[in-house]
Amino acid sequence: MKRNPRRAYDREGREIAPPTIGSLREQGETTAAVFCHARECGHSAVISTDRFPADMPFPDIALHLRCSGCGAREVVVMKDMAAYYARCTSGVGTAVGLPPSYRVIGRDLPWPDEAPRTA
Ligand SMILES: [Zn+2]
């Protein structure tokens, strides 16, 4: 049986159900880290998951994206670890803040397919 590259499988080859965007939202996860796998591109970005439906499997966000650096569709979506660590450590002694360069597309920056918002 052909395997879906965006799914994990257990030892018997059964598909492990991925988390949905909605289930991650309930855990405070509203962003995703996106990496372009096209050769020699290496572009990465953090995106908001707000525009995607709650019942969509998280890894399938990649099907709806195109690299804003090179235009390739070979993108991989992963957990936004910077936001995750910042959230985990907020309110404790040595909180890990978000880096100054942290910008979320769809929140801090417009989606490339949307006209810049005029206030
Ligand atoms: Zn690219």
Side-chain angles (χ1 to χ4, degrees), residues 36-38 41-43 67-72:
C36 177
H37 276 203
C41 178
H43 186 74
C67 175
S68 62
C70 72

Short mmCIF file of all heavy atoms in Angstrom, two decimals, residues 36-38 41-43 67-72, ligand 1:
data_model
loop_
_atom_site.label_atom_id
_atom_site.label_comp_id
_atom_site.label_asym_id
_atom_site.label_seq_id
_atom_site.Cartn_x
_atom_site.Cartn_y
_atom_site.Cartn_z
N CYS A 36 10.64 25.08 3.02
CA CYS A 36 10.68 24.73 1.60
C CYS A 36 11.76 23.69 1.38
O CYS A 36 12.91 23.88 1.79
CB CYS A 36 10.95 25.98 0.75
SG CYS A 36 11.09 25.58 -1.00
N HIS A 37 11.39 22.59 0.72
CA HIS A 37 12.35 21.52 0.46
C HIS A 37 12.87 21.54 -0.97
O HIS A 37 13.55 20.60 -1.39
CB HIS A 37 11.72 20.16 0.77
CG HIS A 37 11.83 19.81 2.22
ND1 HIS A 37 11.79 18.53 2.69
CD2 HIS A 37 12.00 20.60 3.32
CE1 HIS A 37 11.91 18.54 4.01
NE2 HIS A 37 12.03 19.77 4.41
N ALA A 38 12.53 22.56 -1.73
CA ALA A 38 13.06 22.64 -3.09
C ALA A 38 14.57 22.84 -3.01
O ALA A 38 15.07 23.49 -2.08
CB ALA A 38 12.41 23.79 -3.85
N CYS A 41 16.76 26.20 -2.06
CA CYS A 41 15.92 27.33 -1.63
C CYS A 41 16.11 27.54 -0.13
O CYS A 41 16.69 28.53 0.29
CB CYS A 41 14.45 27.08 -1.96
SG CYS A 41 13.39 28.42 -1.39
N GLY A 42 15.64 26.60 0.68
CA GLY A 42 15.83 26.71 2.12
C GLY A 42 15.00 27.78 2.80
O GLY A 42 15.22 28.12 3.95
N HIS A 43 14.02 28.32 2.08
CA HIS A 43 13.16 29.34 2.67
C HIS A 43 12.30 28.73 3.78
O HIS A 43 11.87 27.59 3.67
CB HIS A 43 12.27 29.92 1.57
CG HIS A 43 11.44 31.08 2.00
ND1 HIS A 43 11.97 32.33 2.21
CD2 HIS A 43 10.11 31.19 2.27
CE1 HIS A 43 11.00 33.15 2.60
NE2 HIS A 43 9.87 32.49 2.65
N CYS A 67 5.82 28.00 -1.76
CA CYS A 67 6.94 28.76 -1.19
C CYS A 67 6.93 30.19 -1.72
O CYS A 67 6.88 30.39 -2.93
CB CYS A 67 8.25 28.06 -1.55
SG CYS A 67 9.70 28.99 -1.02
N SER A 68 6.98 31.16 -0.80
CA SER A 68 6.99 32.55 -1.25
C SER A 68 8.38 32.96 -1.71
O SER A 68 8.57 34.03 -2.27
CB SER A 68 6.48 33.48 -0.14
OG SER A 68 7.35 33.39 0.99
N GLY A 69 9.38 32.10 -1.47
CA GLY A 69 10.72 32.39 -1.94
C GLY A 69 10.93 31.96 -3.38
O GLY A 69 11.41 32.73 -4.21
N CYS A 70 10.55 30.72 -3.71
CA CYS A 70 10.85 30.18 -5.04
C CYS A 70 9.61 29.69 -5.78
O CYS A 70 9.70 29.31 -6.94
CB CYS A 70 11.87 29.05 -4.92
SG CYS A 70 11.21 27.53 -4.20
N GLY A 71 8.45 29.66 -5.14
CA GLY A 71 7.23 29.25 -5.81
C GLY A 71 6.98 27.75 -5.81
O GLY A 71 5.97 27.29 -6.33
N ALA A 72 7.90 26.96 -5.24
CA ALA A 72 7.75 25.50 -5.23
C ALA A 72 6.62 25.09 -4.29
O ALA A 72 6.29 25.79 -3.34
CB ALA A 72 9.05 24.84 -4.80
ZN ZN B 1 11.39 27.71 -1.89
#
